[in-house]
PDB file of all heavy atoms in Angstrom:
ATOM      1  N   VAL R  27      -9.989  -9.195  14.427  1.00 84.00           N
ATOM      2  CA  VAL R  27     -10.502 -10.469  14.884  1.00 84.00           C
ATOM      3  C   VAL R  27     -11.888 -10.799  14.325  1.00 84.00           C
ATOM      4  O   VAL R  27     -12.229 -11.970  14.169  1.00 84.00           O
ATOM      5  CB  VAL R  27     -10.515 -10.515  16.432  1.00 84.00           C
ATOM      6  CG1 VAL R  27     -11.731  -9.812  17.010  1.00 84.00           C
ATOM      7  CG2 VAL R  27     -10.432 -11.943  16.930  1.00 84.00           C
ATOM      8  N   VAL R  28     -12.686  -9.794  14.011  1.00 86.00           N
ATOM      9  CA  VAL R  28     -14.059 -10.073  13.547  1.00 86.00           C
ATOM     10  C   VAL R  28     -14.068 -10.883  12.248  1.00 86.00           C
ATOM     11  O   VAL R  28     -14.740 -11.925  12.155  1.00 86.00           O
ATOM     12  CB  VAL R  28     -14.863  -8.767  13.407  1.00 86.00           C
ATOM     13  CG1 VAL R  28     -16.193  -9.030  12.717  1.00 86.00           C
ATOM     14  CG2 VAL R  28     -15.107  -8.141  14.778  1.00 86.00           C
ATOM     15  N   PRO R  29     -13.334 -10.489  11.195  1.00 87.00           N
ATOM     16  CA  PRO R  29     -13.316 -11.344   9.985  1.00 87.00           C
ATOM     17  C   PRO R  29     -12.700 -12.715  10.242  1.00 87.00           C
ATOM     18  O   PRO R  29     -13.150 -13.712   9.669  1.00 87.00           O
ATOM     19  CB  PRO R  29     -12.462 -10.540   8.994  1.00 87.00           C
ATOM     20  CG  PRO R  29     -12.473  -9.141   9.500  1.00 87.00           C
ATOM     21  CD  PRO R  29     -12.558  -9.251  10.988  1.00 87.00           C
ATOM     22  N   LEU R  30     -11.691 -12.777  11.103  1.00 82.00           N
ATOM     23  CA  LEU R  30     -11.042 -14.060  11.375  1.00 82.00           C
ATOM     24  C   LEU R  30     -11.993 -15.023  12.067  1.00 82.00           C
ATOM     25  O   LEU R  30     -12.083 -16.198  11.704  1.00 82.00           O
ATOM     26  CB  LEU R  30      -9.796 -13.832  12.228  1.00 82.00           C
ATOM     27  CG  LEU R  30      -8.627 -13.139  11.509  1.00 82.00           C
ATOM     28  CD1 LEU R  30      -7.580 -12.675  12.515  1.00 82.00           C
ATOM     29  CD2 LEU R  30      -7.997 -14.063  10.486  1.00 82.00           C
ATOM     30  N   VAL R  31     -12.711 -14.544  13.061  1.00 80.00           N
ATOM     31  CA  VAL R  31     -13.660 -15.401  13.768  1.00 80.00           C
ATOM     32  C   VAL R  31     -14.798 -15.818  12.839  1.00 80.00           C
ATOM     33  O   VAL R  31     -15.274 -16.959  12.876  1.00 80.00           O
ATOM     34  CB  VAL R  31     -14.200 -14.675  15.013  1.00 80.00           C
ATOM     35  CG1 VAL R  31     -15.377 -15.424  15.617  1.00 80.00           C
ATOM     36  CG2 VAL R  31     -13.094 -14.510  16.053  1.00 80.00           C
ATOM     37  N   SER R  32     -15.226 -14.905  11.970  1.00 83.00           N
ATOM     38  CA  SER R  32     -16.360 -15.187  11.092  1.00 83.00           C
ATOM     39  C   SER R  32     -16.021 -16.171   9.973  1.00 83.00           C
ATOM     40  O   SER R  32     -16.878 -16.955   9.554  1.00 83.00           O
ATOM     41  CB  SER R  32     -16.868 -13.874  10.464  1.00 83.00           C
ATOM     42  OG  SER R  32     -17.205 -12.933  11.446  1.00 83.00           O
ATOM     43  N   LEU R  33     -14.782 -16.144   9.490  1.00 85.00           N
ATOM     44  CA  LEU R  33     -14.457 -16.860   8.252  1.00 85.00           C
ATOM     45  C   LEU R  33     -13.439 -17.978   8.385  1.00 85.00           C
ATOM     46  O   LEU R  33     -13.295 -18.785   7.467  1.00 85.00           O
ATOM     47  CB  LEU R  33     -13.950 -15.853   7.205  1.00 85.00           C
ATOM     48  CG  LEU R  33     -14.934 -14.749   6.809  1.00 85.00           C
ATOM     49  CD1 LEU R  33     -14.244 -13.725   5.918  1.00 85.00           C
ATOM     50  CD2 LEU R  33     -16.138 -15.341   6.095  1.00 85.00           C
ATOM     51  N   SER R  34     -12.702 -18.045   9.492  1.00 80.00           N
ATOM     52  CA  SER R  34     -11.612 -19.017   9.589  1.00 80.00           C
ATOM     53  C   SER R  34     -12.091 -20.458   9.461  1.00 80.00           C
ATOM     54  O   SER R  34     -11.423 -21.298   8.854  1.00 80.00           O
ATOM     55  CB  SER R  34     -10.853 -18.843  10.904  1.00 80.00           C
ATOM     56  OG  SER R  34     -10.009 -17.726  10.857  1.00 80.00           O
ATOM     57  N   LEU R  35     -13.248 -20.784  10.028  1.00 79.00           N
ATOM     58  CA  LEU R  35     -13.741 -22.159   9.940  1.00 79.00           C
ATOM     59  C   LEU R  35     -14.064 -22.546   8.499  1.00 79.00           C
ATOM     60  O   LEU R  35     -13.849 -23.689   8.088  1.00 79.00           O
ATOM     61  CB  LEU R  35     -14.964 -22.340  10.834  1.00 79.00           C
ATOM     62  CG  LEU R  35     -14.692 -22.210  12.345  1.00 79.00           C
ATOM     63  CD1 LEU R  35     -15.990 -22.334  13.130  1.00 79.00           C
ATOM     64  CD2 LEU R  35     -13.702 -23.271  12.806  1.00 79.00           C
ATOM     65  N   PHE R  36     -14.564 -21.595   7.721  1.00 83.00           N
ATOM     66  CA  PHE R  36     -14.785 -21.865   6.295  1.00 83.00           C
ATOM     67  C   PHE R  36     -13.450 -22.007   5.577  1.00 83.00           C
ATOM     68  O   PHE R  36     -13.314 -22.813   4.648  1.00 83.00           O
ATOM     69  CB  PHE R  36     -15.617 -20.732   5.672  1.00 83.00           C
ATOM     70  CG  PHE R  36     -17.002 -20.636   6.215  1.00 83.00           C
ATOM     71  CD1 PHE R  36     -17.298 -19.768   7.241  1.00 83.00           C
ATOM     72  CD2 PHE R  36     -18.016 -21.443   5.717  1.00 83.00           C
ATOM     73  CE1 PHE R  36     -18.581 -19.675   7.762  1.00 83.00           C
ATOM     74  CE2 PHE R  36     -19.297 -21.375   6.234  1.00 83.00           C
ATOM     75  CZ  PHE R  36     -19.589 -20.484   7.260  1.00 83.00           C
ATOM     76  N   GLY R  37     -12.451 -21.236   6.014  1.00 82.00           N
ATOM     77  CA  GLY R  37     -11.114 -21.397   5.456  1.00 82.00           C
ATOM     78  C   GLY R  37     -10.554 -22.775   5.735  1.00 82.00           C
ATOM     79  O   GLY R  37      -9.834 -23.344   4.909  1.00 82.00           O
ATOM     80  N   GLY R  38     -10.890 -23.337   6.894  1.00 79.00           N
ATOM     81  CA  GLY R  38     -10.437 -24.687   7.219  1.00 79.00           C
ATOM     82  C   GLY R  38     -11.043 -25.735   6.320  1.00 79.00           C
ATOM     83  O   GLY R  38     -10.373 -26.680   5.888  1.00 79.00           O
ATOM     84  N   VAL R  39     -12.331 -25.587   6.002  1.00 79.00           N
ATOM     85  CA  VAL R  39     -12.988 -26.518   5.079  1.00 79.00           C
ATOM     86  C   VAL R  39     -12.331 -26.433   3.705  1.00 79.00           C
ATOM     87  O   VAL R  39     -12.057 -27.461   3.064  1.00 79.00           O
ATOM     88  CB  VAL R  39     -14.498 -26.216   4.977  1.00 79.00           C
ATOM     89  CG1 VAL R  39     -15.147 -27.077   3.896  1.00 79.00           C
ATOM     90  CG2 VAL R  39     -15.178 -26.470   6.316  1.00 79.00           C
ATOM     91  N   LEU R  40     -12.062 -25.204   3.246  1.00 83.00           N
ATOM     92  CA  LEU R  40     -11.417 -25.033   1.940  1.00 83.00           C
ATOM     93  C   LEU R  40     -10.044 -25.697   1.924  1.00 83.00           C
ATOM     94  O   LEU R  40      -9.669 -26.360   0.946  1.00 83.00           O
ATOM     95  CB  LEU R  40     -11.293 -23.539   1.626  1.00 83.00           C
ATOM     96  CG  LEU R  40     -10.672 -23.190   0.273  1.00 83.00           C
ATOM     97  CD1 LEU R  40     -11.547 -23.697  -0.866  1.00 83.00           C
ATOM     98  CD2 LEU R  40     -10.464 -21.681   0.159  1.00 83.00           C
ATOM     99  N   ALA R  41      -9.289 -25.557   3.018  1.00 80.00           N
ATOM    100  CA  ALA R  41      -7.950 -26.147   3.078  1.00 80.00           C
ATOM    101  C   ALA R  41      -7.985 -27.668   3.081  1.00 80.00           C
ATOM    102  O   ALA R  41      -7.002 -28.306   2.692  1.00 80.00           O
ATOM    103  CB  ALA R  41      -7.221 -25.650   4.331  1.00 80.00           C
ATOM    104  N   ASP R  42      -9.103 -28.264   3.487  1.00 78.00           N
ATOM    105  CA  ASP R  42      -9.217 -29.715   3.524  1.00 78.00           C
ATOM    106  C   ASP R  42      -9.771 -30.316   2.238  1.00 78.00           C
ATOM    107  O   ASP R  42      -9.906 -31.536   2.137  1.00 78.00           O
ATOM    108  CB  ASP R  42     -10.100 -30.139   4.705  1.00 78.00           C
ATOM    109  CG  ASP R  42      -9.333 -30.146   6.021  1.00 78.00           C
ATOM    110  OD1 ASP R  42      -8.097 -30.216   5.974  1.00 78.00           O
ATOM    111  OD2 ASP R  42      -9.973 -30.072   7.080  1.00 78.00           O
ATOM    112  N   GLN R  43     -10.109 -29.467   1.261  1.00 80.00           N
ATOM    113  CA  GLN R  43     -10.634 -30.047   0.017  1.00 80.00           C
ATOM    114  C   GLN R  43     -10.123 -29.340  -1.240  1.00 80.00           C
ATOM    115  O   GLN R  43     -10.534 -29.685  -2.344  1.00 80.00           O
ATOM    116  CB  GLN R  43     -12.163 -30.043   0.039  1.00 80.00           C
ATOM    117  CG  GLN R  43     -12.809 -28.665   0.125  1.00 80.00           C
ATOM    118  CD  GLN R  43     -14.333 -28.796   0.174  1.00 80.00           C
ATOM    119  OE1 GLN R  43     -14.883 -29.645   0.864  1.00 80.00           O
ATOM    120  NE2 GLN R  43     -15.017 -27.964  -0.592  1.00 80.00           N
ATOM    121  N   ALA R  44      -9.206 -28.402  -1.104  1.00 82.00           N
ATOM    122  CA  ALA R  44      -8.631 -27.717  -2.266  1.00 82.00           C
ATOM    123  C   ALA R  44      -7.109 -27.840  -2.227  1.00 82.00           C
ATOM    124  O   ALA R  44      -6.529 -28.247  -1.225  1.00 82.00           O
ATOM    125  CB  ALA R  44      -9.044 -26.245  -2.267  1.00 82.00           C
ATOM    126  N   ASP R  45      -6.482 -27.486  -3.323  1.00 87.00           N
ATOM    127  CA  ASP R  45      -5.030 -27.459  -3.388  1.00 87.00           C
ATOM    128  C   ASP R  45      -4.548 -26.318  -2.486  1.00 87.00           C
ATOM    129  O   ASP R  45      -4.772 -25.139  -2.769  1.00 87.00           O
ATOM    130  CB  ASP R  45      -4.589 -27.222  -4.837  1.00 87.00           C
ATOM    131  CG  ASP R  45      -3.072 -27.291  -5.017  1.00 87.00           C
ATOM    132  OD1 ASP R  45      -2.349 -27.169  -4.009  1.00 87.00           O
ATOM    133  OD2 ASP R  45      -2.617 -27.448  -6.167  1.00 87.00           O
ATOM    134  N   ARG R  46      -3.884 -26.662  -1.391  1.00 88.00           N
ATOM    135  CA  ARG R  46      -3.486 -25.646  -0.411  1.00 88.00           C
ATOM    136  C   ARG R  46      -2.501 -24.653  -1.010  1.00 88.00           C
ATOM    137  O   ARG R  46      -2.464 -23.482  -0.604  1.00 88.00           O
ATOM    138  CB  ARG R  46      -2.906 -26.346   0.813  1.00 88.00           C
ATOM    139  CG  ARG R  46      -3.962 -27.170   1.551  1.00 88.00           C
ATOM    140  CD  ARG R  46      -3.394 -28.313   2.359  1.00 88.00           C
ATOM    141  NE  ARG R  46      -4.454 -29.075   3.028  1.00 88.00           N
ATOM    142  CZ  ARG R  46      -4.268 -30.208   3.682  1.00 88.00           C
ATOM    143  NH1 ARG R  46      -3.051 -30.741   3.746  1.00 88.00           N
ATOM    144  NH2 ARG R  46      -5.271 -30.824   4.261  1.00 88.00           N
ATOM    145  N   ARG R  47      -1.726 -25.093  -1.964  1.00 90.00           N
ATOM    146  CA  ARG R  47      -0.779 -24.199  -2.629  1.00 90.00           C
ATOM    147  C   ARG R  47      -1.536 -23.102  -3.390  1.00 90.00           C
ATOM    148  O   ARG R  47      -1.192 -21.911  -3.300  1.00 90.00           O
ATOM    149  CB  ARG R  47       0.084 -25.012  -3.578  1.00 90.00           C
ATOM    150  CG  ARG R  47       0.950 -24.204  -4.541  1.00 90.00           C
ATOM    151  CD  ARG R  47       1.750 -25.136  -5.429  1.00 90.00           C
ATOM    152  NE  ARG R  47       2.347 -24.434  -6.555  1.00 90.00           N
ATOM    153  CZ  ARG R  47       1.735 -24.246  -7.713  1.00 90.00           C
ATOM    154  NH1 ARG R  47       0.487 -24.700  -7.894  1.00 90.00           N
ATOM    155  NH2 ARG R  47       2.352 -23.599  -8.690  1.00 90.00           N
ATOM    156  N   LYS R  48      -2.587 -23.468  -4.117  1.00 92.00           N
ATOM    157  CA  LYS R  48      -3.359 -22.479  -4.871  1.00 92.00           C
ATOM    158  C   LYS R  48      -4.094 -21.518  -3.938  1.00 92.00           C
ATOM    159  O   LYS R  48      -4.204 -20.324  -4.226  1.00 92.00           O
ATOM    160  CB  LYS R  48      -4.355 -23.186  -5.787  1.00 92.00           C
ATOM    161  CG  LYS R  48      -3.709 -23.906  -6.960  1.00 92.00           C
ATOM    162  CD  LYS R  48      -4.763 -24.544  -7.858  1.00 92.00           C
ATOM    163  CE  LYS R  48      -4.113 -25.240  -9.044  1.00 92.00           C
ATOM    164  NZ  LYS R  48      -5.135 -25.904  -9.922  1.00 92.00           N
ATOM    165  N   VAL R  49      -4.592 -22.042  -2.835  1.00 92.00           N
ATOM    166  CA  VAL R  49      -5.261 -21.173  -1.863  1.00 92.00           C
ATOM    167  C   VAL R  49      -4.294 -20.112  -1.362  1.00 92.00           C
ATOM    168  O   VAL R  49      -4.626 -18.919  -1.278  1.00 92.00           O
ATOM    169  CB  VAL R  49      -5.820 -21.996  -0.684  1.00 92.00           C
ATOM    170  CG1 VAL R  49      -6.370 -21.070   0.400  1.00 92.00           C
ATOM    171  CG2 VAL R  49      -6.921 -22.940  -1.154  1.00 92.00           C
ATOM    172  N   MET R  50      -3.065 -20.534  -1.037  1.00 92.00           N
ATOM    173  CA  MET R  50      -2.075 -19.567  -0.553  1.00 92.00           C
ATOM    174  C   MET R  50      -1.714 -18.534  -1.616  1.00 92.00           C
ATOM    175  O   MET R  50      -1.537 -17.350  -1.309  1.00 92.00           O
ATOM    176  CB  MET R  50      -0.809 -20.292  -0.094  1.00 92.00           C
ATOM    177  CG  MET R  50      -0.819 -20.702   1.356  1.00 92.00           C
ATOM    178  SD  MET R  50       0.877 -20.998   1.969  1.00 92.00           S
ATOM    179  CE  MET R  50       1.517 -19.317   2.007  1.00 92.00           C
ATOM    180  N   LEU R  51      -1.603 -18.949  -2.864  1.00 94.00           N
ATOM    181  CA  LEU R  51      -1.291 -17.998  -3.926  1.00 94.00           C
ATOM    182  C   LEU R  51      -2.375 -16.926  -4.034  1.00 94.00           C
ATOM    183  O   LEU R  51      -2.077 -15.735  -4.208  1.00 94.00           O
ATOM    184  CB  LEU R  51      -1.136 -18.725  -5.260  1.00 94.00           C
ATOM    185  CG  LEU R  51       0.118 -19.597  -5.409  1.00 94.00           C
ATOM    186  CD1 LEU R  51       0.051 -20.418  -6.694  1.00 94.00           C
ATOM    187  CD2 LEU R  51       1.383 -18.724  -5.408  1.00 94.00           C
ATOM    188  N   LEU R  52      -3.626 -17.333  -3.903  1.00 94.00           N
ATOM    189  CA  LEU R  52      -4.729 -16.374  -3.990  1.00 94.00           C
ATOM    190  C   LEU R  52      -4.762 -15.444  -2.782  1.00 94.00           C
ATOM    191  O   LEU R  52      -4.910 -14.222  -2.922  1.00 94.00           O
ATOM    192  CB  LEU R  52      -6.053 -17.121  -4.120  1.00 94.00           C
ATOM    193  CG  LEU R  52      -6.308 -17.813  -5.463  1.00 94.00           C
ATOM    194  CD1 LEU R  52      -7.577 -18.667  -5.394  1.00 94.00           C
ATOM    195  CD2 LEU R  52      -6.447 -16.776  -6.577  1.00 94.00           C
ATOM    196  N   THR R  53      -4.627 -16.013  -1.589  1.00 94.00           N
ATOM    197  CA  THR R  53      -4.724 -15.182  -0.392  1.00 94.00           C
ATOM    198  C   THR R  53      -3.544 -14.230  -0.265  1.00 94.00           C
ATOM    199  O   THR R  53      -3.716 -13.061   0.111  1.00 94.00           O
ATOM    200  CB  THR R  53      -4.821 -16.054   0.871  1.00 94.00           C
ATOM    201  OG1 THR R  53      -3.718 -16.965   0.921  1.00 94.00           O
ATOM    202  CG2 THR R  53      -6.115 -16.861   0.869  1.00 94.00           C
ATOM    203  N   GLN R  54      -2.342 -14.701  -0.577  1.00 94.00           N
ATOM    204  CA  GLN R  54      -1.176 -13.836  -0.495  1.00 94.00           C
ATOM    205  C   GLN R  54      -1.261 -12.707  -1.525  1.00 94.00           C
ATOM    206  O   GLN R  54      -0.867 -11.568  -1.246  1.00 94.00           O
ATOM    207  CB  GLN R  54       0.098 -14.642  -0.703  1.00 94.00           C
ATOM    208  CG  GLN R  54       0.410 -15.623   0.413  1.00 94.00           C
ATOM    209  CD  GLN R  54       0.859 -14.934   1.688  1.00 94.00           C
ATOM    210  OE1 GLN R  54       1.649 -14.005   1.663  1.00 94.00           O
ATOM    211  NE2 GLN R  54       0.326 -15.387   2.820  1.00 94.00           N
ATOM    212  N   SER R  55      -1.793 -13.005  -2.707  1.00 95.00           N
ATOM    213  CA  SER R  55      -1.975 -11.962  -3.723  1.00 95.00           C
ATOM    214  C   SER R  55      -2.979 -10.924  -3.240  1.00 95.00           C
ATOM    215  O   SER R  55      -2.784  -9.712  -3.438  1.00 95.00           O
ATOM    216  CB  SER R  55      -2.455 -12.584  -5.040  1.00 95.00           C
ATOM    217  OG  SER R  55      -1.492 -13.466  -5.568  1.00 95.00           O
ATOM    218  N   GLY R  56      -4.049 -11.390  -2.603  1.00 94.00           N
ATOM    219  CA  GLY R  56      -5.047 -10.459  -2.073  1.00 94.00           C
ATOM    220  C   GLY R  56      -4.462  -9.540  -1.015  1.00 94.00           C
ATOM    221  O   GLY R  56      -4.706  -8.321  -1.017  1.00 94.00           O
ATOM    222  N   MET R  57      -3.667 -10.103  -0.092  1.00 94.00           N
ATOM    223  CA  MET R  57      -3.063  -9.273   0.946  1.00 94.00           C
ATOM    224  C   MET R  57      -2.053  -8.292   0.364  1.00 94.00           C
ATOM    225  O   MET R  57      -1.896  -7.165   0.862  1.00 94.00           O
ATOM    226  CB  MET R  57      -2.404 -10.165   2.000  1.00 94.00           C
ATOM    227  CG  MET R  57      -3.415 -10.859   2.912  1.00 94.00           C
ATOM    228  SD  MET R  57      -2.655 -11.743   4.307  1.00 94.00           S
ATOM    229  CE  MET R  57      -2.097 -13.235   3.497  1.00 94.00           C
ATOM    230  N   ALA R  58      -1.364  -8.699  -0.712  1.00 95.00           N
ATOM    231  CA  ALA R  58      -0.418  -7.788  -1.362  1.00 95.00           C
ATOM    232  C   ALA R  58      -1.150  -6.584  -1.946  1.00 95.00           C
ATOM    233  O   ALA R  58      -0.696  -5.431  -1.806  1.00 95.00           O
ATOM    234  CB  ALA R  58       0.346  -8.523  -2.454  1.00 95.00           C
ATOM    235  N   LEU R  59      -2.286  -6.816  -2.585  1.00 95.00           N
ATOM    236  CA  LEU R  59      -3.056  -5.713  -3.162  1.00 95.00           C
ATOM    237  C   LEU R  59      -3.586  -4.780  -2.077  1.00 95.00           C
ATOM    238  O   LEU R  59      -3.626  -3.554  -2.259  1.00 95.00           O
ATOM    239  CB  LEU R  59      -4.215  -6.274  -3.993  1.00 95.00           C
ATOM    240  CG  LEU R  59      -3.811  -7.004  -5.276  1.00 95.00           C
ATOM    241  CD1 LEU R  59      -5.038  -7.603  -5.958  1.00 95.00           C
ATOM    242  CD2 LEU R  59      -3.079  -6.056  -6.233  1.00 95.00           C
ATOM    243  N   VAL R  60      -3.973  -5.338  -0.948  1.00 92.00           N
ATOM    244  CA  VAL R  60      -4.438  -4.516   0.160  1.00 92.00           C
ATOM    245  C   VAL R  60      -3.307  -3.619   0.670  1.00 92.00           C
ATOM    246  O   VAL R  60      -3.507  -2.433   0.962  1.00 92.00           O
ATOM    247  CB  VAL R  60      -4.994  -5.405   1.296  1.00 92.00           C
ATOM    248  CG1 VAL R  60      -5.222  -4.593   2.555  1.00 92.00           C
ATOM    249  CG2 VAL R  60      -6.301  -6.067   0.860  1.00 92.00           C
TER     250      VAL R  60
END
């Protein structure tokens, strides 16, 4: 919960001004590597 609470609001700003498809490709790739 600590990273989610700290960063989710910034993630919301990114989702409102970037291509949401590209954001998902990056985040899903990151979670796959983890």
